[in-house]
PDB file of all heavy atoms in Angstrom:
ATOM      1  N   VAL Q  19     103.384 120.064  91.485  1.00 98.00           N
ATOM      2  CA  VAL Q  19     104.083 119.994  92.769  1.00 98.00           C
ATOM      3  C   VAL Q  19     105.097 121.136  92.870  1.00 98.00           C
ATOM      4  O   VAL Q  19     105.610 121.618  91.860  1.00 98.00           O
ATOM      5  CB  VAL Q  19     104.812 118.642  92.981  1.00 98.00           C
ATOM      6  CG1 VAL Q  19     103.824 117.503  93.070  1.00 98.00           C
ATOM      7  CG2 VAL Q  19     105.854 118.402  91.909  1.00 98.00           C
ATOM      8  N   GLU Q  20     105.347 121.554  94.099  1.00 98.00           N
ATOM      9  CA  GLU Q  20     106.355 122.567  94.378  1.00 98.00           C
ATOM     10  C   GLU Q  20     107.343 122.020  95.378  1.00 98.00           C
ATOM     11  O   GLU Q  20     106.952 121.507  96.435  1.00 98.00           O
ATOM     12  CB  GLU Q  20     105.707 123.838  94.944  1.00 98.00           C
ATOM     13  CG  GLU Q  20     104.987 124.667  93.916  1.00 98.00           C
ATOM     14  CD  GLU Q  20     104.572 126.025  94.466  1.00 98.00           C
ATOM     15  OE1 GLU Q  20     104.726 126.251  95.687  1.00 98.00           O
ATOM     16  OE2 GLU Q  20     104.102 126.855  93.681  1.00 98.00           O
ATOM     17  N   LEU Q  21     108.607 122.140  95.052  1.00 98.00           N
ATOM     18  CA  LEU Q  21     109.679 121.678  95.933  1.00 98.00           C
ATOM     19  C   LEU Q  21     110.489 122.893  96.351  1.00 98.00           C
ATOM     20  O   LEU Q  21     110.812 123.748  95.536  1.00 98.00           O
ATOM     21  CB  LEU Q  21     110.577 120.671  95.195  1.00 98.00           C
ATOM     22  CG  LEU Q  21     109.852 119.553  94.423  1.00 98.00           C
ATOM     23  CD1 LEU Q  21     110.867 118.664  93.721  1.00 98.00           C
ATOM     24  CD2 LEU Q  21     108.967 118.743  95.342  1.00 98.00           C
ATOM     25  N   ARG Q  22     110.856 122.909  97.631  1.00 97.00           N
ATOM     26  CA  ARG Q  22     111.509 124.098  98.176  1.00 97.00           C
ATOM     27  C   ARG Q  22     112.940 123.803  98.593  1.00 97.00           C
ATOM     28  O   ARG Q  22     113.239 122.720  99.090  1.00 97.00           O
ATOM     29  CB  ARG Q  22     110.708 124.603  99.374  1.00 97.00           C
ATOM     30  CG  ARG Q  22     111.314 125.807 100.089  1.00 97.00           C
ATOM     31  CD  ARG Q  22     110.535 126.126 101.363  1.00 97.00           C
ATOM     32  NE  ARG Q  22     111.247 127.065 102.190  1.00 97.00           N
ATOM     33  CZ  ARG Q  22     110.883 128.337 102.357  1.00 97.00           C
ATOM     34  NH1 ARG Q  22     109.813 128.809 101.746  1.00 97.00           N
ATOM     35  NH2 ARG Q  22     111.586 129.138 103.141  1.00 97.00           N
ATOM     36  N   CYS Q  23     113.805 124.805  98.401  1.00 97.00           N
ATOM     37  CA  CYS Q  23     115.201 124.695  98.820  1.00 97.00           C
ATOM     38  C   CYS Q  23     115.594 125.954  99.567  1.00 97.00           C
ATOM     39  O   CYS Q  23     115.411 127.070  99.060  1.00 97.00           O
ATOM     40  CB  CYS Q  23     116.112 124.502  97.610  1.00 97.00           C
ATOM     41  SG  CYS Q  23     117.879 124.582  97.998  1.00 97.00           S
ATOM     42  N   ASP Q  24     116.147 125.765 100.773  1.00 96.00           N
ATOM     43  CA  ASP Q  24     116.722 126.870 101.536  1.00 96.00           C
ATOM     44  C   ASP Q  24     118.242 126.705 101.531  1.00 96.00           C
ATOM     45  O   ASP Q  24     118.747 125.801 102.200  1.00 96.00           O
ATOM     46  CB  ASP Q  24     116.223 126.857 102.982  1.00 96.00           C
ATOM     47  CG  ASP Q  24     114.829 127.391 103.113  1.00 96.00           C
ATOM     48  OD1 ASP Q  24     113.880 126.613 102.980  1.00 96.00           O
ATOM     49  OD2 ASP Q  24     114.700 128.605 103.346  1.00 96.00           O
ATOM     50  N   PRO Q  25     118.957 127.546 100.800  1.00 94.00           N
ATOM     51  CA  PRO Q  25     120.414 127.369 100.719  1.00 94.00           C
ATOM     52  C   PRO Q  25     121.088 127.848 102.003  1.00 94.00           C
ATOM     53  O   PRO Q  25     120.448 128.442 102.867  1.00 94.00           O
ATOM     54  CB  PRO Q  25     120.797 128.255  99.539  1.00 94.00           C
ATOM     55  CG  PRO Q  25     119.777 129.348  99.565  1.00 94.00           C
ATOM     56  CD  PRO Q  25     118.509 128.700 100.016  1.00 94.00           C
ATOM     57  N   ILE Q  26     122.370 127.602 102.091  1.00 92.00           N
ATOM     58  CA  ILE Q  26     123.146 128.105 103.211  1.00 92.00           C
ATOM     59  C   ILE Q  26     123.194 129.634 103.124  1.00 92.00           C
ATOM     60  O   ILE Q  26     123.399 130.189 102.036  1.00 92.00           O
ATOM     61  CB  ILE Q  26     124.562 127.507 103.199  1.00 92.00           C
ATOM     62  CG1 ILE Q  26     124.483 125.990 103.452  1.00 92.00           C
ATOM     63  CG2 ILE Q  26     125.466 128.180 104.218  1.00 92.00           C
ATOM     64  CD1 ILE Q  26     125.795 125.261 103.302  1.00 92.00           C
ATOM     65  N   SER Q  27     122.995 130.279 104.254  1.00 90.00           N
ATOM     66  CA  SER Q  27     122.984 131.734 104.292  1.00 90.00           C
ATOM     67  C   SER Q  27     124.283 132.295 103.733  1.00 90.00           C
ATOM     68  O   SER Q  27     125.375 131.865 104.106  1.00 90.00           O
ATOM     69  CB  SER Q  27     122.793 132.211 105.737  1.00 90.00           C
ATOM     70  OG  SER Q  27     122.835 133.615 105.807  1.00 90.00           O
ATOM     71  N   GLY Q  28     124.156 133.258 102.822  1.00 87.00           N
ATOM     72  CA  GLY Q  28     125.338 133.875 102.227  1.00 87.00           C
ATOM     73  C   GLY Q  28     125.790 133.241 100.930  1.00 87.00           C
ATOM     74  O   GLY Q  28     126.618 133.809 100.205  1.00 87.00           O
ATOM     75  N   HIS Q  29     125.274 132.062 100.621  1.00 88.00           N
ATOM     76  CA  HIS Q  29     125.628 131.414  99.353  1.00 88.00           C
ATOM     77  C   HIS Q  29     124.838 132.069  98.224  1.00 88.00           C
ATOM     78  O   HIS Q  29     123.610 132.154  98.265  1.00 88.00           O
ATOM     79  CB  HIS Q  29     125.320 129.918  99.416  1.00 88.00           C
ATOM     80  CG  HIS Q  29     126.358 129.133 100.156  1.00 88.00           C
ATOM     81  ND1 HIS Q  29     126.408 127.748 100.115  1.00 88.00           N
ATOM     82  CD2 HIS Q  29     127.371 129.523 100.959  1.00 88.00           C
ATOM     83  CE1 HIS Q  29     127.427 127.344 100.845  1.00 88.00           C
ATOM     84  NE2 HIS Q  29     128.017 128.393 101.384  1.00 88.00           N
ATOM     85  N   THR Q  30     125.551 132.510  97.195  1.00 86.00           N
ATOM     86  CA  THR Q  30     124.887 133.224  96.110  1.00 86.00           C
ATOM     87  C   THR Q  30     124.500 132.309  94.949  1.00 86.00           C
ATOM     88  O   THR Q  30     123.682 132.679  94.124  1.00 86.00           O
ATOM     89  CB  THR Q  30     125.794 134.341  95.560  1.00 86.00           C
ATOM     90  OG1 THR Q  30     127.012 133.750  95.074  1.00 86.00           O
ATOM     91  CG2 THR Q  30     126.126 135.352  96.650  1.00 86.00           C
TER      92      THR Q  30
END
Side-chain angles (χ1 to χ4, degrees):
Chain Q
V19 295
E20 285 190 353
L21 313 179
R22 177 187 168 108
C23 172
D24 283 88
I26 294 173
S27 178
H29 281 192
T30 60

